[in-house]
Amino acid sequence: MRMSRYFLPVLKETPREAQIVSHRLMLQAGLIKQASAGIYSWLPMGYKILKRIEQIVHEEQARAGHLAMLMPTIQSADLWRESGRYDAYGDEMLRIKDRGGREMLFTPTAEELVTDIFRAHVSSYKDLPLTLYQIQWKFRDETRPRFGVMRGREFLMKDGYNFDLTQEDALHAYNRHLVTYLRTYERMGLQAIPMRADSGPIGGEDTHEFLVLAETGESEVFYDSEITDLTFGDREIDFNDKAACAAVLEEFTSRYARTDETHDEALFNAVPEERRRTARGIEVGQIFYFGTKYSDAMGATVQGPDGKPTAVHMGSHGIGVSRLLGAIIEASHDDKGIIWPEGVTPFHVGIVNLRQGDDATDAACEDLYAKLKARGLDPLYDDRDERAGAKFGTMDLIGLPWRITVGPRGLKTGVVELTSRRTGESEEITPEDAIARIAAIYDGI
């Protein structure tokens, strides 16, 4: 993409409504524009990052054998009355009526709808286990939407639902999801800590939230510092291996880590004092096991091995896809702007032409641009007739991890400048070596 042809409405002034760093930077960098309170339009660069995050989520769900689908944003109130949640959910649910007077709602979550799909099409235990998921827009009518996409009313969410014959099988699905989430967040450059949490309106007793530590987090968290030394890394795991998945859960949840809602002072005090930590955290996902809560209420049964109808055991698992953009920025920025991890960056590398209109620099930039694209990379070429400082400022603000700067002085000796956004370190290398270096960085990401 060439900057001269791109729609990137960068703001020079600090938006008044922005209360936290991620909201401010998303507005300044032209990623989003507010449509109304808690509802945003996703502009081209913001949408591109959103799709990169979606792709990572899809890849990790597919790796675990989970099946993608898509359910509507509007549901019938009758399904929610079956489960008993229609009146209990509260004012966050947007309730509407169609022209026929039928009561409907804008989906805040989809346990009822997916259970209805399951009971209509699955009748035998031989069709289990089954995990279905979607990435779809949700709506919760927050009393005070704030912090940009961190606490909006409309948001993009991955929500998954497992159906299993027994509690043991369903708890394996729970453990399997914990593994997929650890992999997902690490691919995005995040350390998301699983913490014992409250189930809220979803229900069930087994639940963990995944929180990213950040000063602007909405939750107070208490944890053993040893947990921040854990990484899943590039290890491979057999998702059908119950013992292996359970071992990962034990590894990542055996140390104390809880939100303020479930904090136990006595248990926390049992942690060695030098390892006790309190901080703020941003929730980016949650997993639940709630047994037969919905299957009992809605008649979701299968014929068991003994020929008798058996209510299936269920769980649900969510990732805040749109919220993740804010969380990543909160965890990765400096006073110049965003610093995108390589896994989610909108463009792999920026090209800055220091002397637009000069035959030699124009030709060198065009050559770089073409060769990077030929290697399967996605460069953003700043070909605007702007001063160098403005170009550098834009690149720093939008946060591409790498920048190649091309100028007449360097070209005389056959070099360009390769700069890391994260460290600020630069080196002069040949254009060919710069291309090879960028390709190697993204190989396998």
Side-chain angles (χ1 to χ4, degrees), residues 130-131 160-164 170 173 176-177 288 313-317:
L130 177 66
T131 295
Y161 307 90
N162 66 283
F163 300 87
D164 291 278
R176 187 174 68 241
H177 277 85
F288 303 83
H313 286 253
M314 294 175 58
S316 67
H317 322 89

Side-chain angles (χ1 to χ4, degrees), residues 191-317:
Q191 181 178 50
I193 302 171
M195 299 192 178
R196 176 64 63 179
D198 181 68
S199 62
I202 302 293
E205 295 182 359
D206 289 278
T207 179
H208 281 86
E209 286 179 340
F210 291 79
L211 288 102
V212 174
L213 301 179
E215 292 180 3
T216 53
E218 60 197 340
S219 301
E220 186 176 14
V221 297
F222 304 81
Y223 62 97
D224 181 338
S225 64
E226 279 194 344
I227 201 166
T228 58
D229 297 328
L230 300 176
T231 58
F232 190 85
D234 58 0
R235 69 179 95 170
E236 293 295 329
I237 190 167
D238 180 355
F239 285 101
N240 294 315
D241 187 332
K242 291 183 178 180
C245 291
V248 174
L249 176 111
E250 174 67 17
E251 178 185 353
F252 281 85
T253 64
S254 58
R255 296 163 182 83
Y256 190 91
R258 297 195 179 200
T259 64
D260 49 3
E261 294 176 316
T262 59
H263 178 53
D264 187 315
E265 194 68 26
L267 289 176
F268 187 54
N269 288 338
V271 176
E273 185 175 1
E274 69 274 11
R275 300 202 325 245
R276 287 181 222 154
R277 299 286 188 275
T278 60
R280 308 296 298 181
I282 300 168
E283 181 199 342
V284 291
Q286 191 163 1
I287 57 177
F288 303 83
Y289 163 69
F290 40 69
T292 59
K293 173 181 176 176
Y294 296 94
S295 52
D296 282 338
M298 299 182 68
T301 63
V302 295
Q303 185 180 52
D306 58 2
K308 297 179 180 179
T310 301
V312 292
H313 286 253
M314 294 175 58
S316 67
H317 322 89

Side-chain angles (χ1 to χ4, degrees), residues 157-191:
M157 180 178 173
K158 173 264 169 181
D159 50 314
Y161 307 90
N162 66 283
F163 300 87
D164 291 278
L165 183 64
T166 67
Q167 180 181 21
E168 179 187 358
D169 292 339
L171 288 175
H172 171 56
Y174 185 96
N175 300 346
R176 187 174 68 241
H177 277 85
L178 181 134
V179 175
T180 67
Y181 281 20
L182 291 172
R183 289 184 57 94
T184 297
Y185 296 127
E186 286 191 13
R187 283 187 61 185
M188 296 177 190
L190 289 173
Q191 181 178 50

Side-chain angles (χ1 to χ4, degrees), residues 93-119:
M93 181 188 289
L94 182 62
R95 295 166 170 84
I96 55 180
K97 289 185 179 180
D98 66 13
R99 67 172 61 192
R102 288 176 288 268
E103 291 182 291
M104 314 289 284
L105 58 97
F106 196 115
T107 304
T109 182
E111 282 80 7
E112 286 81 2
L113 189 56
V114 76
T115 302
D116 182 55
I117 293 169
F118 176 88
R119 70 184 177 182

